[in-house]
Amino acid sequence: MATELLSELAAKVAIGERLSIDEGRALLEARDLIQLGMLASDARGRRHGARATFVRVCDVPLGDAAMAELPLETAGELRLVGEPASREDAIEAVRALAARSGSVPVTGFALQTLYDLAGSDDALVGLLASLKAAGLAAVAEASADRIIARGASLAPLVDARMPLARLVVEQPVEAAGAPAWLADLRGLQAESPVIRAVAPLARQQPGDVPTTGFDDVRLVALARLLLDNVESIQANWRRSGAKLAQVTLMFGVDDLDDVPARDPRDLGPRRSSLEEVRRNIRAASLEPAERNARFERLTR
Amino acid sequence: MSIQAIAENAVAGGRVTADEALRLYLDAPTSMLAEAADAIRARKHPEGIVTYIIDRNVNYTNVCVARCNFCAFYRTVGSSDTYVLAFEEIFRKIDETIAVGGVQLLLQGGHNPDLPLEWYEDLFRAVKRRYPGFKLHALSPPEVIHISRMSRLAVERVIERLMTAGMDSIPGGGAEILVDRVRKQLNCYSKATADEWIDVMRHAHRAGLRTTATMMYGSVDAEADRIEHLLRLRDLQDETGGFTAFITWSYQPENTELGGYERTGIEYLRTLALARIVLDNFDNLQASWVTQGGKVGQLSLLCGANDMGSVMIEENVVRAAGASYCMDEVEIVRNIENLGFVPKRRNMHYERLGDPLFREQDIPRRRALDTAKSDADPLMPDELSRYAARSRSARVMRGQP
Ligand code: SF4
């Protein structure tokens, strides 16, 4: 039964046909992780071939935007981090950083933070336009949990023509609810197609019961299979750690976010973050390709 | 034979040759290796049980004359931060281990020239007197060889004396890669050649001891070396049947003289799966969550492992080289059950001891591993003065001529 279902779904994935929530549930129930991973890998391969991208990121605290030392030679994204006190602070920080960023794109802020500063969807469109004019290449992230809980939409991003670098997840998604939750995200993207990448692994882990490796890679695989209108499924290099991040590449992830643009100390060329991420991607039988925050390919 | 056919043959119970193993390792997709290894695990353990042991990994001394270049743990004779554990410290560790349901010590250490055979015998006898049922999984083959060289007694005789004193089984440490060319590059050829390591295990098995086998890969070894290593273990197992389990882990480069980088998680899963395919006469394969982390460690159970190893209370060697993951019994059991397996406690002989202990009694959660020495303990205990030292610095310290 499970084998029949899997071959049926494999045939659908092979021709790029959409999987339903019920089919997502059936995949969960089959509990065959290796087959699920193979299906998700096929789906990833259809979109991205044998390539996996990564981006080297430098976090810049808002208060340091005008003076932080910037690793412009190595970073593919300068990401403003922190909560601006006002719209003006946000715009000023972007302007200050963009003035010093050369060709490295500047991203920053969580969508919710900007919404809180703006107060309404209309005002948010205006704020996004101002941030864009100041040099913001993309909003760094939006929290899927908050958007779904608030019934909010991503329409202001579309209206302001502002890209969203990634949709992130705060709290772990319970396995049984994952197909329906992914279908909600698929609907969100259908309404306002600004999500370039989804990072499905939760940022916060309950101390007593963190997600397991099985939970993580299964969710990643389901995300790849059900989010057929999202280009990239992403894993976070720093948060997940090299080992898990690499394993997710076998389960549908095509993009590794948050590779450090600066190594904490001189690790030598063979152990630098750049070499480590490339080595991990190759050991997953994929070709590494460095990108920037605009998803433009970098040759370094 | 195609790669698929080689894998199918292994799943059906056929034996793979060295060439076939190399082809699988180099060319088979990870999913194929994992599926084959998982099918073999399921054939060998059809009840879906995954075992673990509650024990404590104690390193009785960090003084070592072997100086393996991949090791971040050892200190040279006379260094200021060398230690030897006092018997009382070891008893305290046993008390703590028993308090959380532990049944044995995994006791290993450096090749300390100032600890004669009598020190080990006295320690083992003292442990057995105080804790009669408690097991000592002690002294890897290179340590046995070191004691044999220092005492000028044959390995068989050393094993016999240690068994009489209370040694219950021998851990498979110090194997690294059982290929002498690799051992010379790792500066561990002189501590034990591949033949010598195998010979200690042969003697131990003949003497009635059960042992484990290990492989540390990913330093200077090539894929073919790992396969040669596995085949040497398989051959000895055909001969003696004395190995209970196999454990592999990746070289941990941090703070070592050799340096370099660590192999990736996928390479670990592939190596484990290959070992499950090649070692057709081994019943048990352990997951090395200590080096791979809990998440990849858990996924090992889908790549051939049927055992989660030890609920560790203390670890010093791998931590010194950069890896420090901690999982207590609750966490190990949760990871096993999350995959649909049934968790069972075991002893070193892989006899099942029962269901998870924390469900029967109140055991405090543990979020970090202990280290060998607490700050309050002296680095060199007074009792050492009873044992003849060989190094000048130790003789001076012990007031010996
Ligand atoms: S691995 Fe063992 S034998 Fe080698 S240096 Fe370290 S403690 Fe000594």
Side-chain angles (χ1 to χ4, degrees), chain B residues 64 66-68 70-71 73-74 109-111 176 191:
Chain B
C64 190
R67 306 172 76 154
C68 308
F70 59 85
C71 175
F73 169 70
Y74 78 89
H111 298 187
E176 329 313 353
K191 79 173 177 185

Side-chain angles (χ1 to χ4, degrees), chain B residues 5-21:
Chain B
I6 298 170
E8 280 167 9
N9 175 45
V11 169
R15 175 157 277 196
V16 298
T17 65
D19 285 350
E20 289 169 343

Side-chain angles (χ1 to χ4, degrees), chain A residues 62-80:
Chain A
L62 277 170
D64 296 347
M67 63 223 186
E69 198 191 309
L70 302 174
L72 299 182
E73 296 294 304
T74 55
E77 178 174 344
L78 298 174
R79 193 177 292 174
L80 280 165

Side-chain angles (χ1 to χ4, degrees), chain A residues 31-35 37-38 201 205-218 240 242-251 265 267 270-271 276 279-281 283-285, chain B residues 30-32 34-35 38 250 252-255 259-270 291-296 298-299 302-303 325 330-331 334-335 337-340 365 367:
Chain A
R31 289 188 70 87
D32 187 334
L33 189 67
I34 296 177
Q35 289 292 332
M38 286 163 74
L201 297 185
Q205 293 278 329
D208 270 4
V209 273
T211 57
T212 64
F214 175 64
D215 297 338
D216 287 352
V217 296
R218 183 169 62 166
S240 290
K243 289 202 165 81
L244 180 68
Q246 186 208 27
V247 171
T248 63
L249 293 170
M250 286 172 51
F251 289 84
R265 61 199 155 94
L267 298 169
R270 270 154 51 97
R271 292 184 60 199
E276 196 189 359
R279 194 164 50 238
N280 271 272
I281 291 173
S285 304
Chain B
T30 304
S31 52
M32 184 192 286
E35 278 193 315
D38 192 48
S250 52
Q252 304 291 310
E254 203 75 18
N255 305 320
Y261 56 87
E262 189 190 346
R263 299 292 159 160
T264 68
I266 289 178
E267 286 166 292
Y268 168 74
L269 294 174
R270 290 180 66 85
T291 58
Q292 303 303 311
K295 294 193 177 194
V296 176
Q298 185 205 30
L299 296 174
L302 300 176
C303 295
Y325 298 104
V330 173
E331 198 49 18
R334 193 173 72 83
N335 273 274
E337 290 179 337
N338 177 251
L339 281 176
R365 297 291 312 262
R367 315 250 179 234

Side-chain angles (χ1 to χ4, degrees), chain B residues 268-285:
Chain B
Y268 168 74
L269 294 174
R270 290 180 66 85
T271 305
L272 176 70
L274 184 83
R276 182 60 287 173
I277 291 167
V278 173
L279 296 176
D280 51 23
N281 51 4
F282 276 64
D283 287 337
N284 302 295
L285 257 67

